[in-house]
Amino acid sequence: MSEQTPRSAAAGTSGAVVVTGMGATTPLGGDVPSTWEAALAGRSGARPLTMPFVEELGLPVTFGGTLAVPATDVLPRHESKRLDPSAQYALIAGREAWAQAGAPEVEGERLGVVVATGIGGVTTLIGAYDVLRERGPRRVLPLTVPMLMPNGAAGALAIEFGAQAGAHSPASACASGAEAIAYAAEMIRTGRADVVIAGGTEAAILALPIAAFASMHALSLRNDTPETASRPYDVTRDGFVLAEGAGVVVLESEAHAAARGARVLGTVAGAGITSDAHHIAAPDPEGLGATRAMRLALQQAGAQPSDVVHVNAHATSTPVGDVAEAVALRAALGGATDGVAVSATKSMTGHLLGGAGSLEAIFCLKALEDGLAPPTINVTELDPQIDLDVVLDEPRKIPSGPDVVALNNAFGFGGHNAALAITGPRGGAA
Amino acid sequence: MAQSENEILDGIAELVNEETGLPKESVEMDKSFTDDLDIDSLSMTSIVVHAEEKFGVTIPDEDSKNLRTVRDVVAYIQQAQG
């Protein structure tokens, strides 16, 4: 409790970590505005997969959340050739975020990068192995290692923006994107950097990950109706929809942002990171680690449960995970849970794995900017075990601005729990 | 079957463009890959691997390290195709 930040820090005095840029490429759109518009409209990004391997290998799942705008339509060939798709997506999102932040002038040694991924350069790894087996070792290209390594995206963004304060890639499966933002905020709070480009990315819609996730019974098998497959909180949910993409934000110390007159889009007021130490893949059924993560995030923000107006839940549409999180959320917020608008945006985006946490942090920022919680689609019968006020079908008005909190949850295999407490911009909804 | 010098030059220029984004016109006979075109060793190795496939030749490492200019590569490929 002694390290608790005063409430005023969350609302923006010294020590606050503000957001000045956002970028994304997702199954819903090629940037943040189009993605957010599609989310508010309740559109699904799930579609049938057209790659030949789906039929050739007889995969049990034949759909996924592929990017709305292919990265190769955005990047010139000489760039896309040198980067694994996961790094390409991060670069596209990073450029959008950096441009929105106004390409801040900052010394390289005060600029950091934290870009996380759940799986890393698996497209490159699998492709290179095929080349090795079919055409021999001399055909394996020399950029294979820098492309497949999980820190490849962080390195690429550090080069792009000249970030020399450190480039990091925390790997915590599906918590990675949120953990990256938490780590970046800490870099600023502890004085290691003034500006940090942070987020998560994933590009793993490939035969092997599909077969492997399906082998765990983690994926929805609704091949006939991809757009209704992701249905968090519905009684008939049967697994998540594998998706891809990236979400990246520019974080900045409030002092640095104020000195250059940057527009503040919101604040990362608090972050909580815990681990379950329970099971490598299953969540703690009581969600104790998740509860602690949410409490820690609120504590660092100097906020009370009653300050929380919106939760972007991790809710992936798996039978066990959705309930465990709901229990954890109620334990963290207590009676205040009843007034909180809970959204499960994976019902629309699918599950971006390492990209999920950061994309959903962006959704929280947009929700607080617009005063609108995005909908949860595909719920025809709410699971009675879900004792939450779920935003169904249509966006819902919520309070906005710097004095209310949106919580963003992200959990990952390995027992990783990350929660971010986000506050909105001054002015709020127009 | 050997290709003409110009055909090979065009092919190399295409590979360099795809690898680095440099305009094809910048790939001229007397340019050095490292000094003039600023191509690093990893990219150069990629270009050699692709050139082997494109031109149906083998360029062993002990030979490729001596290929400094565009003309060196074109001449090597022409001879290897011979």
Side-chain angles (χ1 to χ4, degrees), chain A residues 294-320:
Chain A
M294 289 183 253
R295 283 183 180 149
L296 287 169
L298 291 178
Q299 193 182 99
Q300 189 176 51
Q304 304 299 318
S306 56
D307 296 326
V308 178
V309 297
H310 171 52
V311 174
N312 191 306
H314 185 63
T316 63
S317 187
T318 61
V320 178

Side-chain angles (χ1 to χ4, degrees), chain A:
Chain A
M1 292 301 251
S2 59
E3 29 179 74
Q4 188 167 323
T5 314
R7 176 78 178 107
S8 60
T13 55
S14 66
V17 177
V18 299
V19 182
T20 54
M22 300 185 278
T25 182
T26 77
L28 296 180
D31 55 16
V32 170
S34 58
T35 296
W36 181 238
E37 188 196 336
L40 288 181
R43 286 204 282 275
S44 168
R47 39 188 81 90
L49 298 177
T50 54
M51 304 83 132
F53 65 68
V54 177
E55 258 185 55
E56 278 167 25
L57 298 173
L59 291 179
V61 175
T62 61
F63 65 101
T66 49
L67 286 191
V69 180
T72 44
D73 288 2
V74 180
L75 299 176
R77 187 158 155 74
H78 70 272
E79 273 186 341
S80 61
K81 261 187 82 139
R82 302 175 72 84
L83 297 170
D84 182 79
S86 59
Q88 294 172 26
Y89 305 171
L91 185 61
I92 290 168
R95 282 175 176 163
E96 182 190 357
W98 190 248
Q100 188 184 23
E105 270 185 40
V106 53
E107 275 185 50
E109 293 178 12
R110 302 295 302 161
L111 174 64
V113 167
V114 189
V115 176
T117 162
I119 307 185
V122 65
T123 310
T124 299
L125 179 63
I126 290 174
Y129 192 57
D130 286 346
V131 169
L132 171 65
R133 288 177 60 95
E134 287 161 19
R135 291 148 71 197
R138 281 187 56 80
R139 293 283 176 265
V140 174
L141 292 171
L143 281 171
T144 303
V145 170
M147 286 171 70
L148 70 80
M149 62 194 190
N151 54 316
L157 266 69
I159 293 165
E160 170 83 6
F161 301 110
Q164 297 171 322
H168 308 271
S169 349
S172 48
C174 305
S176 301
E179 190 160 338
I181 291 176
Y183 191 91
E186 200 164 294
M187 283 178 78
I188 292 173
R189 283 197 186 96
T190 55
R192 274 187 61 200
D194 296 322
V195 182
V196 181
I197 300 156
T201 185
E202 205 75 67
I205 304 183
L206 301 159
L208 181 63
I210 290 171
F213 280 123
S215 163
M216 308 175 81
H217 303 291
L219 296 181
S220 170
L221 300 175
R222 291 178 200 278
N223 290 322
D224 295 334
T225 53
E227 63 285 356
T228 71
S230 186
R231 48 179 76 190
Y233 304 140
D234 188 81
V235 283
T236 61
R237 67 190 181 278
D238 72 330
F240 72 79
V241 172
L242 185 60
E244 63 177 357
V248 173
V249 292
V250 175
L251 300 185
E252 199 161 345
S253 74
E254 188 180 47
H256 193 273
R260 67 184 188 91
R263 183 177 160 224
V264 170
L265 308 171
T267 302
V268 179
I273 306 285
T274 66
S275 46
D276 282 349
H278 167 73
H279 186 277
I280 198 66
D284 179 337
E286 292 178 73
L288 297 177
T291 299
R292 274 192 302 129
M294 289 183 253
R295 283 183 180 149
L296 287 169
L298 291 178
Q299 193 182 99
Q300 189 176 51
Q304 304 299 318
S306 56
D307 296 326
V308 178
V309 297
H310 171 52
V311 174
N312 191 306
H314 185 63
T316 63
S317 187
T318 61
V320 178
D322 291 9
V323 175
E325 182 187 16
V327 170
L329 183 56
R330 189 154 277 281
L333 300 186
T337 315
D338 293 331
V340 175
V342 179
S343 303
T345 46
K346 288 187 185 76
S347 60
M348 300 174 286
T349 61
H351 192 351
L352 276 67
L353 308 181
S358 51
L359 174 61
E360 288 156 20
I362 290 170
F363 283 159
C364 285
L365 288 157
K366 293 300 292 181
L368 291 178
E369 182 186 327
D370 290 357
L372 280 177
T376 306
I377 64 168
N378 296 329
V379 179
T380 47
E381 190 184 345
L382 192 68
D383 184 340
Q385 297 179 89
I386 304 294
D387 187 14
L388 300 174
D389 185 358
V390 180
V391 180
L392 297 172
D393 303 324
E394 299 286 333
R396 185 193 299 175
K397 278 194 176 171
I398 55 170
S400 59
D403 298 320
V404 292
V405 171
L407 267 181
N408 172 32
N409 282 339
F411 313 128
F413 290 158
H416 306 278
N417 308 296
L420 301 175
I422 290 167
T423 59
R426 286 215 180 78

Side-chain angles (χ1 to χ4, degrees), chain B residues 12-81:
Chain B
I12 298 290
E14 254 171 51
L15 292 179
V16 169
N17 169 259
E18 282 188 8
E19 192 66 30
T20 65
L22 288 169
K24 290 180 199 166
E25 312 82 72
S26 67
V27 182
E28 295 168 331
M29 279 295 195
D30 292 321
K31 294 270 178 79
S32 151
F33 287 102
T34 50
D35 297 341
D36 298 324
L37 298 175
D38 200 23
I39 294 173
D40 67 24
S41 65
L42 290 185
S43 299
M44 193 57 212
T45 309
S46 286
I47 291 167
V48 169
V49 171
H50 290 305
E52 287 188 336
E53 295 223 312
K54 192 177 186 100
F55 299 107
V57 300
T58 301
I59 311 176
D61 290 348
E62 56 268 31
D63 290 344
S64 67
K65 65 175 187 242
N66 298 321
L67 302 175
R68 213 179 55 81
T69 65
V70 175
R71 186 183 305 280
D72 293 343
V73 173
V74 171
Y76 189 96
I77 290 170
Q78 224 179 5
Q79 198 174 13
Q81 283 180 334

